[in-house]
Amino acid sequence: MGLTTQPERRQVTVSPGQGEGWITTRLDFLVNWGRANSLWPMPFGTACCAIEFMATAASKYDLARFGMERMSFSPRQADVLICAGRVPFKLAPVLRRIWQQMLQPKWAISMGACASSGGMFDNYAVVQGIDTIIPVDVYVPGCPPRPEGLIYGIMMLQEKVKRERLSDERLRDEMEPDPQSHLYIPPSAIDELSEPFGNSVHQTRSGL
Amino acid sequence: MNPSADRLRERFPQAFVRAEVVWGETTVFVQPGAVLDVVRYLHDDEAERYDYLSDVTAVEYRDLELPLQVVWHLRSLPHRRFLRLKAELPKGAPLVVPSVFPIYAGADWLERECYDMFGIRFDGHPDLRRILMWEQYQEGYPLRKDFPLRGRFSRSEQLRQALAAQPESRYSMHELTIADAFEDLPQDMRQRLARGERTGE
């Protein structure tokens, strides 16, 4: 993992027989290494993606290999929110509340087509992508994604965590929603992004 | 034809509209105002004994002239019969039917859902609020034919209204407490609970 590699071009005298081994590394490398390999997920499962998520956590795919075996059903002890499934508008304030209850540092994975974009539920009741409610780090496509897909997304998140620098203070800023619109991003952006595409244009109005 | 249909025709000549059989299932159309009397007869009469209300829903057709239909699915467990009861509500007039909550307590949430999705008011329901959509929902009744699939408001406005809601405020204290259910328990169970014994094992 690079943790025990010794710095190059530097003369170091080590006497192994004396039991005085020592390690040198960057602090944020060490912190990120620890964080990335002990991400505690907050499972926010609302639909069939949660079934695949359970399969991912179960013995065959064994999410514990990546340090995530500890499901944190309290958001206050969680590191990564995994939103698995569609989110209706009625659930939107709940998801926002859970995200705000999580402590920094925190990350979010949007698992599946519905959580990422609303999926096929382009209707009056379903949020068109949870990135309109909370900031999302990794999107996992699929309907639902296979466990391999989710694990790949989680490993992408681990890569992202490992690249963070402690000196970058923006990473730890808690976002405050706009008091008028309760949103993190401009309402016009949401309207533009959630315009219907393809055949769903014809479904917007029933003509009656 | 379910024998209950003929008995309803004899007993309620004013309220009885028509009966039809589709795929072996009998549907009886009655006048909306008489629903409570008809259902009470179906529930209480020894020959009927419709003791299980399995669903309350509504149907709206694309044809604007056709009336809305409110549907009750009644099942008689003692006589092993199924009866579909319908009442037609013309468009234009207020959509009101009597609530069958006094007869079936299980009609509570079924009628709330029907009100939430179709806007049909159930006269006599003790707590007629929205149940699927949140109570401040302002876009109308989603299963009506004049309701656009994606809702009436823009996506950002829908999100703004949804996020402005307090999740805790959706539940009344009545829903959050189970103490009121104590009165409905059988007498012996109440006495055992009063003595501090555990029940249900």
Side-chain angles (χ1 to χ4, degrees):
Chain A
M1 299 295 290
L3 190 65
T4 54
T5 35
Q6 297 189 352
E8 294 176 4
R9 292 192 304 254
R10 190 172 301 179
Q11 191 65 40
V12 177
T13 311
V14 183
S15 45
Q18 305 295 316
E20 291 179 352
W22 54 280
I23 292 171
T24 176
T25 181
R26 269 191 359 247
L27 179 60
D28 54 4
F29 175 83
L30 186 66
V31 168
N32 289 342
W33 177 80
R35 274 180 185 156
N37 290 294
S38 65
L39 289 170
W40 284 2
M42 162 80 213
F44 193 81
T46 53
C48 31
C49 281
I51 306 294
E52 288 299 295
F53 177 73
M54 283 185 267
T56 314
S59 53
K60 178 159 182 173
Y61 292 95
D62 197 11
L63 204 54
R65 292 177 291 160
F66 307 97
M68 302 180 78
E69 74 271 29
R70 200 279 194 181
M71 296 297 147
S72 182
F73 291 98
S74 162
R76 299 180 198 283
Q77 296 169 347
D79 298 307
V80 50
L81 176 78
I82 298 182
C83 181
R86 67 193 85 94
V87 178
F89 281 115
K90 198 175 176 181
L91 206 57
V94 180
L95 179 62
R96 167 69 68 79
R97 178 76 57 89
I98 287 175
W99 174 254
Q100 288 174 338
Q101 283 175 342
M102 285 170 65
L103 302 181
Q104 296 278 12
K106 58 187 176 184
W107 300 272
I109 292 179
S110 168
M111 179 182 178
C114 299
S116 302
S117 70
M120 65 181 191
F121 300 99
D122 187 12
N123 61 22
Y124 66 95
V126 175
V127 173
Q128 301 298 298
I130 61 164
D131 48 4
T132 56
I133 307 171
I134 62 173
V136 174
D137 293 286
V138 176
Y139 301 86
V140 181
C143 184
R146 283 190 57 87
E148 294 96 324
L150 178 61
I151 289 174
Y152 182 65
I154 287 169
M155 291 172 74
M156 285 176 73
L157 181 66
Q158 288 184 329
E159 291 302 314
K160 179 173 181 174
V161 172
K162 284 174 184 169
R163 280 206 303 273
E164 288 180 355
R165 300 302 299 263
L166 290 177
S167 56
D168 188 358
E169 293 179 353
R170 289 175 301 132
L171 285 173
R172 301 292 165 252
D173 282 347
E174 182 72 39
M175 293 169 73
E176 289 293 330
D178 180 61
Q180 292 299 316
S181 65
H182 301 286
L183 298 168
Y184 291 133
I185 50 181
S188 57
I190 291 177
D191 283 340
E192 190 180 346
L193 286 174
S194 50
E195 274 292 302
F197 52 88
N199 288 330
S200 65
V201 170
H202 306 297
Q203 298 170 9
T204 52
R205 296 292 181 264
S206 67
L208 289 174
Chain B
M1 176 79 77
N2 188 325
S4 304
D6 287 330
R7 287 198 286 268
L8 281 179
R9 193 199 312 271
E10 292 164 14
R11 197 171 180 94
F12 298 96
Q14 302 293 321
F16 190 93
V17 179
R18 67 180 190 275
E20 59 189 35
V21 180
V22 179
W23 288 6
E25 293 179 347
T26 306
T27 304
V28 174
F29 288 78
V30 295
Q31 295 290 347
V35 164
L36 191 61
D37 293 336
V38 169
V39 173
R40 193 183 296 281
Y41 161 74
L42 288 172
H43 178 265
D44 290 345
D45 194 272
E46 273 304 309
E48 310 293 352
R49 299 275 305 277
Y50 284 88
D51 49 4
Y52 177 42
L53 175 76
S54 59
D55 202 6
V56 177
T57 183
V59 186
E60 185 182 13
Y61 292 93
R62 276 190 80 94
D63 195 340
L64 278 176
E65 280 88 55
L66 289 177
L68 250 88
Q69 296 177 345
V70 190
V71 189
W72 291 265
H73 285 183
L74 297 165
R75 195 171 282 279
S76 167
L77 299 180
H79 298 297
R80 299 186 180 180
R81 286 193 205 124
F82 174 77
L83 185 71
R84 188 182 292 115
L85 200 66
K86 282 191 180 182
E88 292 188 322
L89 299 174
K91 300 278 181 71
L95 302 173
V96 182
V97 288
S99 168
V100 297
F101 177 79
I103 305 165
Y104 302 102
D108 187 354
W109 284 11
L110 298 173
E111 290 177 351
R112 278 178 65 186
E113 181 185 352
C114 200
Y115 164 70
D116 189 1
M117 291 288 120
F118 288 95
I120 295 163
R121 302 199 70 85
F122 288 86
D123 198 13
H125 190 285
D127 185 26
L128 197 64
R129 293 179 291 135
R130 287 186 182 271
I131 185 169
L132 296 177
M133 311 309 286
W134 56 101
E135 283 183 58
Q136 298 87 14
Y137 188 69
Q138 295 179 356
E139 295 184 55
Y141 303 105
L143 289 190
R144 294 287 292 274
K145 285 288 182 252
D146 59 358
F147 189 91
L149 177 61
R150 307 176 87 236
R152 296 189 198 280
F153 301 156
S154 70
R155 287 301 189 194
S156 55
E157 175 64 14
Q158 287 173 341
L159 261 184
R160 188 190 69 79
Q161 293 195 359
L163 288 173
Q166 290 289 328
E168 290 86 358
S169 68
R170 291 188 191 134
Y171 303 99
S172 61
M173 289 310 291
H174 181 76
E175 278 172 304
L176 292 174
T177 179
I178 59 167
D180 293 334
F182 181 78
E183 296 300 320
D184 298 333
L185 293 174
Q187 184 64 34
D188 60 327
M189 195 181 284
R190 269 191 279 175
Q191 288 173 352
R192 277 184 290 149
L193 281 171
R195 286 199 300 269
E197 291 180 29
R198 298 180 69 185
T199 60
E201 276 124 58

